[in-house]
């Protein structure tokens, strides 16, 4: 298991498991790969709703890490995008059509993967 923590740097829309939550690279990678493997034509809304809290929580944890935003404009843009995605006002609701939830879930998973890669590189960890 590859786990590391570099500390909190950005406040996001919600608090997940607290400031001491470690980044589990393998678990996050596995979860995002599972989400990206979902197919719209065979995935139920209930299955998407079950995946959403964990993947959004992973993104939220990565947003609190020092990913080098002070020195990298692209990272700053990714963090802004992530902050918008995890904002509770932008998350799917019960009224959101299944397709909208599917797209949101994929957006969160893709951005989480990008930030996870930056995190791994920045901390000199082995990629899963």
């Amino acid at each position: 298991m590859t786990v590391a923590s570099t500390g909190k740097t950005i406040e996001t829309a919600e608090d997940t498991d607290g400031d001491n939550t470690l980044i589990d690279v393998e678990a996050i990678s596995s979860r995002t790969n599972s989400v990206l493997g979902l197919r719209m034509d065979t995935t139920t809304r209930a299955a998407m709703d079950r995946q959403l809290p964990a993947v959004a929580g992973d993104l939220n944890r990565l947003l609190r890490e020092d990913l080098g935003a002070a020195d990298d404009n692209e990272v700053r843009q990714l963090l802004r995008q992530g902050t918008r995605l995890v904002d509770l006002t932008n998350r799917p609701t019960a009224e959101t059509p299944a397709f909208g939830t599917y797209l949101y879930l994929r957006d969160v998973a893709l951005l989480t993967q990008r930030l996870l890669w930056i995190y791994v590189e920045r901390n000199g960890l082995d990629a899963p």
Side-chain angles (χ1 to χ4, degrees), residues 48-60:
M48 289 185 266
D49 288 343
R50 282 191 301 274
Q51 294 277 356
L52 191 56
V55 175
D58 292 337
L59 176 56
N60 205 17

Side-chain angles (χ1 to χ4, degrees), residues 37-56:
L38 297 175
R39 292 180 30 162
M40 181 64 213
D41 61 340
T42 59
T43 303
T44 66
R45 172 64 190 261
M48 289 185 266
D49 288 343
R50 282 191 301 274
Q51 294 277 356
L52 191 56
V55 175

